[in-house]
């Protein structure tokens, strides 16, 4: 099945399905082993963020690609619903028809250009629908970015607290070592 055989509705639904599948796969197969030092809620937030960003970026890219495809193929009958115009032939006119043959080719060229403009006029709204959907996808990125910032802030706060705990533990162990040294009267 080629892209030329797919209707606009199926293409739009396919973009949604592709975005959902990519988001689910990125969520399910997010590498958790390199995040094993983080608490579970931060690991889950990271996995959720990876899935959501994967879905949104796929949605944006697929809609932009579809819009570009529509603009690149303006004469496609899926978005060109009117029949193309045809120039009347003047060469068949009685008595002066042979003198008007050169005018036929000029009129055919003008009508072909008018048909090209009509095709572009009919393709632009379809392409703009895809570009508008991509724009909505960009708007979804804003809350995801805020969620990523909040997750990053929580992660840094957790790492700072973890480092402070390690530092206190090291200080406590150093103090215990000093106590043991004094107890055994170590002169090292």
């Amino acid at each position: 099945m080629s892209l030329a055989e797919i209707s606009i509705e199926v293409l739009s639904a396919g973009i949604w399905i592709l975005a959902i599948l990519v988001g689910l796969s990125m969520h399910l197969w997010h590498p958790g082993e390199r995040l094993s030092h983080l608490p579970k809620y931060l690991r889950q937030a990271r996995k959720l963020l990876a899935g959501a960003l994967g879905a949104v970026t796929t949605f944006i890219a697929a809609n932009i690609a579809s819009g570009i495809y529509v603009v690149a193929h303006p004469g496609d009958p899926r978005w060109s619903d009117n029949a193309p115009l045809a120039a009347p032939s003047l060469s068949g006119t009685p008595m002066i028809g042979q003198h008007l043959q050169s005018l036929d080719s000029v009129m055919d060229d003008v009508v072909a250009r008018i048909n090209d403009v009509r095709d572009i006029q009919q393709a632009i709204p379809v392409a703009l629908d895809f570009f508008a959907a991509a724009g909505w996808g960009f708007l979804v990125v804003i809350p995801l970015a805020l969620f990523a910032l909040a997750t990053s802030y929580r992660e840094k706060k957790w790492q700072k607290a973890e480092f402070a705990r390690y530092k206190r533990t090291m200080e406590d162990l150093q103090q215990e070592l000093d106590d043991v040294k004094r107890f055994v009267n170590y002169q090292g």
Side-chain angles (χ1 to χ4, degrees):
M1 178 183 232
S2 71
L3 197 55
E5 298 171 355
I6 299 174
S7 71
I8 297 298
E9 293 79 22
V10 171
L11 185 61
S12 295
I15 290 171
W16 280 100
I17 292 168
L18 178 66
I20 290 169
L21 289 176
V22 168
L24 281 174
S25 65
M26 288 187 76
H27 176 74
L28 294 175
W29 288 293
H30 188 269
E33 60 271 356
R34 70 179 176 90
L35 301 174
S36 61
H37 65 283
L38 295 175
K40 186 175 181 175
Y41 73 94
L42 283 176
R43 283 190 303 242
Q44 290 299 327
R46 281 278 191 95
K47 284 180 73 167
L48 180 65
L49 185 62
L53 283 175
V56 170
T57 54
T58 301
F59 180 78
I60 291 169
N63 273 300
I64 289 174
S66 297
I68 291 171
Y69 176 81
V70 169
V71 170
H73 300 88
D76 195 310
R78 290 177 286 180
W79 38 86
S80 300
D81 53 357
N82 295 338
L85 300 175
S89 176
L90 299 176
S91 62
T93 306
M95 297 209 291
I96 59 168
Q98 71 264 10
H99 301 293
L100 299 176
Q101 287 176 347
S102 61
L103 190 57
D104 276 349
S105 65
V106 171
M107 286 181 58
D108 286 339
D109 188 44
V110 169
V111 169
R113 291 178 192 270
I114 290 172
N115 283 331
D116 290 343
V117 170
R118 288 180 66 206
D119 289 343
I120 291 171
Q121 283 179 331
Q122 292 171 358
I124 292 295
V126 176
L128 287 178
D129 286 343
F130 285 114
F131 293 141
W136 284 110
F138 278 114
L139 285 178
V140 171
V141 169
I142 294 169
L144 288 176
L146 292 174
F147 181 67
L149 282 173
T151 303
S152 175
Y153 173 75
R154 296 284 286 169
E155 186 176 329
K156 285 180 183 176
K157 189 174 175 182
W158 179 84
Q159 286 174 343
K160 190 181 278 188
E162 193 70 15
F163 181 74
R165 264 194 310 273
Y166 288 144
K167 188 175 180 182
R168 274 195 313 272
T169 302
M170 289 301 295
E171 289 170 354
D172 291 345
L173 289 173
Q174 186 65 40
Q175 182 62 38
E176 288 179 22
L177 181 62
D178 290 343
D179 291 345
V180 168
K181 285 180 185 178
R182 268 187 272 123
F183 181 73
V184 284
N185 203 9
Y186 179 70
Q187 301 295 325

